Amino acid sequence: MKKFNFRKVLDGLTASSPGSGSSSGINSSGGAGSGSLHPGGTAGALREEIQETLTSDYFQICKTVRHGFPYQPTALAFDPVQKILAIGTRSGAIRILGRPGVDCYCQHESGAAVLQLQFLINEGALVSASSDDTLHLWNLRQKRPAILHSLKFNRERITYCHLPFQSKWLYVGTERGNTHIVNIESFILSGYVIMWNKAIELSTKTHPGPVVHLSDSPRDEGKLLIGYENGTVVFWDLKSKRADLRVYYDEAIHSIDWHHEGKQFMCSHSDGSLTLWNLKSPSRPFQTTVPHGKSQSQREGRKSESCKPILKVEYKTCRNSEPFIIFSGGLSYDKACRRPSLTIMHGKAITVLEMDHPIVEFLTLCDTPYPNEFQEPYAVVVLLEKDLIVVDLTQSNFPIFENPYPMDIHESPVTCTAYFADCPPDLILVLYSIGVKHKKQGYSNKEWPISGGAWNLGAQTYPEIIITGHADGSIKFWDASAITLQMLYKLKTSKVFEKQKVGEGKQTGEIVEEDPFAVQMIYWCPESRIFCVSGVSAYVIIYKFSRHEITTEIVSLEVRLQYDVEDIITPEPETSPPFPDLSSQLPSSRSLSGSTNTVASEGVTKDSIPCLNVKTRPVRMPPGYQADLVIQLVWVDGEPPQQITSLAVSSAYGIVAFGNCNGLVVVDFIQKTVLLSMGIFDLYRSSELYQRQPRSPRKNRQFIAGLTELNDSPVPLELERCKSPTSETRENSYNRSRSSSISSIDKDSKEAITALYFMESFARKNDSSISPCLFVGTSLGMVLIISLNLPIADEQRFTEPVMVLPSGTFLSLKGAVLTFSCMDRTGGLMQPPYEVWRDPNSMDENEKSWRRKLVMNSSSANQEIGDHQYIIICSEKQAKVFSLPSQTCLYVHNITETSFILQADVVVMCNSACLACFCANGHIMIMSLPSLRPMLDVNYLPLTDMRIARTFCFTNEGQALYLVSPTEIQRLTYSQEMCDNLQDMLGDLFTPIETPEAQNRGFLKGLFGGSGQTFDREELFGEASAGRASRSLAQHIPGPGGIEGVKGAAGGVMGELTRARIALDERGQRLGELEEKTAGMMTSAEAFSKHAHELMLKYKDKKWYQF
């Protein structure tokens, strides 16, 4: 007896509202359930036996983590004490990275591009400047960073920001050339302003341009260096409010960097030159070099040939060697074909590191955060447009570090994804052991330098694997356990085919000029380790996993599959056999595949040729996945093969099935034979479902759709759907035009196969026993069941033929069929049968003699009267649950009327099955099984890009993912339990670390150093002396990260106690330091008093003339 749940009643009311879909027909006795029960004796009894355990309380949508390279990066920052890295993007996102497992994503609500990032070093905070001229202060002392304050500039545009180390005053340069100062603690603008017309000489008549650089002098924090775009540099005295000196250069400035002693600074310019300036002689550069220019003319006193601009330069000193000068750009114009480069000058050695992508930003990592000490650089972080690399400066050959983050997801564009949660635990170790042998060599032997934060595994321990298919034909297996991502193994499917020479595509059967090896669909059986992939060039490859290397020839099959319109409208049905000879079929109709290569350049019609050529010579296959069989569709009478729209494999049966808009192909990959190659209407005809009449294909489809829905749906629920042929045509056309799985076919004239499913089930109505079956779903909502007759004895499976016969059973839904699944009479999800993996190339004699071990996951023939299975079918519009073998429709749920479903999967959640759907209007919906009661309906993400539709996938344990950008994977959960535990699973960005002591800091410097200068800045910039800035200049906006941020950072009572303990420890450390300083001061005072007393006694009795 189920307990009454008020939330379920609300779910039922929500489900009946127009926005969330409704059930088919009136469900007056179903309570809160939105599915509809079809009355029937055995079906009703079957329904009473199942007690559904899932309720709405189990579900909640929450983003978990984002993997991959930040799309379109714009800014970079590094905290040298916490050792964490921040990357800003054009879409307003910020990614913060630390040690592996510490990876945080946060987003500006405005979506404005990030211009610059500045860490408050070792303070657990970050300042971001956006293109909408707003400054934001982020709190990083919580696992989900939040904005504490924002400051919106109204009259000026921000161009550059600088925050001195251990200072609370932020310098902000603007496009007008002015420099403003912001208090970081209150985020209020100071009244102290450095106006551009006061910074430059009064005699200068031209505007100096935007501020491109701000930095305080390492020698004197009371002096500020201001760089303007036109080549003017001003050394500003903050106390006297005047310029100490001015520097002029006739080339635009891009960046400036100080020598640590504060006596020299270096500028990079738009002509590819570097100028070194000395504060004692500002009239002309102390040194001018064009690193990549011709140097002959420099000796004659003339400027060398101009080069490309040096966009940034960093000048870093070393105690025991020459300084490092590192810059980006500056190459000669006559080397236009050269790739973007980073140049490292160390003494007389010049090293040019060529990059694969343009350089966005780079930072030199140094041992000390203090700008007035020897910097001792040890690495360079280079942010490229599509990659992040770190160069080791401690070795003379400058190797790069091996990147622990999954930054190469987009190495080739992702075309499809698959997600497997709670998979066999040994798979990750097996795949890693194979993949590690193929890793690149030559990396630095030192540890990854970005090692900040803290992370632990958390409570979630089940193994997860993500598979990505790519445009170059590669497949990548990723370990996704515990919300991390690490590549395990890479498979290159293109190695099966011969390489195409340039311009050879039109002479062969190639139908895609770009990326002919692109992966379209993936099917993987983790238990048997059978892997199958279909490509854009109409091929299917079956892989088997082996630990041993082999050299063998690749077996390939070529299949003719055509769509024959003429045969459909032929009035003599008896002349066509159930399995027609494909070689004698009539020419097919013209298909709209987007290809122009229907006729060869020589004028010869292409026929019976595949799109790609499989290698015919023996091929060496390393351990891992090895190609077992390649199946290719061929050209037919000048028509290219259509792209594959559905794919399924059964390791237990040894059969692979795939289909497109032309028909269905079933292949025995054990015996390497084609079992079935048949057009869709031939499948209908072989089942003897229709009377053959002379009619157009369009009218025939109207008749089929209307007939199937009338015959197979529950009459009380479906009578209202009996419409005129005209209205039915419009509905079917709408459904087909919205199908995401058949985007490349002619939807107005063809019915495509959109879903396939192997299962031990009842092939015909009222069958007494189960048998191997193949469920076939089409784009018009038709479901056909094909019976598979397999040899009974295991030995006969390798020799006896397999019979494939349409059973004559058909079911129907609205919209293209997306997925199937099966449940037993107790409500447990039935897994398709599979073969236990064994190495096909094992050298072990005992393993060679093993028989095939099959796991059927279903009971054998049951003699009890009644139904024994549920079959769940979901289409673009609705979901239905049928009981088998009676084929009674128990439940119908119209999921959406105004939109269409992009992805649907039957998944396991808390040991119970449910149906998860992602709709094109952005809704994620969860329904219980088998009753189809709505558990969750959340407007999560509007469909803005077909990339999302192509890559969105659900998996067990409440997990899902999609490709949120061309370079990033977004993972989410629909599990309430995981949402509750997510805080414990995420990494900590901030860890309490003591700031390193400054070098060579004596007593007087320690006593009058930091605190005195901070006090002076407070007096200089504070409201008491500088006043407040005009309210119209900038607007302060309180952030949402106040109280909520503190709550999120704590994560419970233990978190609060931990924070309090850390705060007390820090306070104790500061008190201890203060006590030590006080004791030192007392000792010094006593020594001073003693020396003064001795001096007084020494000269007490002497006259003035005796000195």
Side-chain angles (χ1 to χ4, degrees), residues 818-851:
L818 298 179
T819 190
F820 297 95
S821 194
C822 218
M823 300 177 72
D824 59 25
R825 65 181 303 156
T826 65
L829 189 64
M830 298 176 62
Q831 299 297 332
Y834 64 88
E835 177 188 2
V836 177
W837 176 80
R838 63 187 179 94
D839 198 324
N841 306 316
S842 175
M843 303 300 175
D844 189 353
E845 294 297 330
N846 295 328
E847 191 170 345
K848 283 185 177 181
S849 61
W850 281 359
R851 300 179 60 185

Side-chain angles (χ1 to χ4, degrees), residues 228-302:
Y228 295 94
E229 188 181 58
N230 73 340
T232 301
V233 179
V234 176
F235 196 49
W236 184 263
D237 189 325
L238 294 169
K239 294 180 182 179
S240 63
K241 298 182 181 181
R242 63 181 180 83
D244 276 3
L245 61 88
R246 298 178 180 90
V247 165
Y248 298 97
Y249 196 69
D250 56 359
E251 293 291 343
I253 292 176
H254 285 280
S255 70
I256 304 175
D257 200 19
W258 279 100
H259 187 281
H260 82 276
E261 293 178 350
K263 300 177 182 179
Q264 297 176 344
F265 60 88
M266 181 174 289
C267 302
S268 69
H269 300 278
S270 58
D271 64 344
S273 63
L274 296 174
T275 55
L276 185 63
W277 300 82
N278 195 315
L279 295 182
K280 293 183 178 180
S281 55
S283 58
R284 57 180 298 176
F286 175 72
Q287 183 181 354
T288 302
T289 58
V290 182
H292 295 295
K294 296 179 181 179
S295 58
Q296 289 83 359
S297 58
Q298 289 185 0
R299 296 178 181 177
E300 302 173 7
R302 298 193 305 270

Side-chain angles (χ1 to χ4, degrees), residues 937-972:
D937 187 350
V938 174
N939 187 5
Y940 172 74
L941 176 74
L943 180 65
T944 56
D945 199 311
M946 282 307 296
R947 176 186 62 252
I948 299 173
R950 190 177 65 246
T951 57
F952 199 105
C953 54
F954 296 96
T955 188
N956 298 331
E957 307 300 335
Q959 304 269 29
L961 66 81
Y962 60 94
L963 204 68
V964 67
S965 73
T967 62
E968 295 169 289
I969 289 176
Q970 177 67 57
R971 291 167 68 179
L972 62 142

Side-chain angles (χ1 to χ4, degrees), residues 1015-1034:
F1015 178 77
D1016 289 341
R1017 282 182 176 172
E1018 181 68 32
E1019 284 190 349
L1020 197 59
F1021 304 142
E1023 186 177 348
S1025 59
R1028 281 195 174 186
S1030 171
R1031 292 186 178 181
S1032 62
L1033 183 60

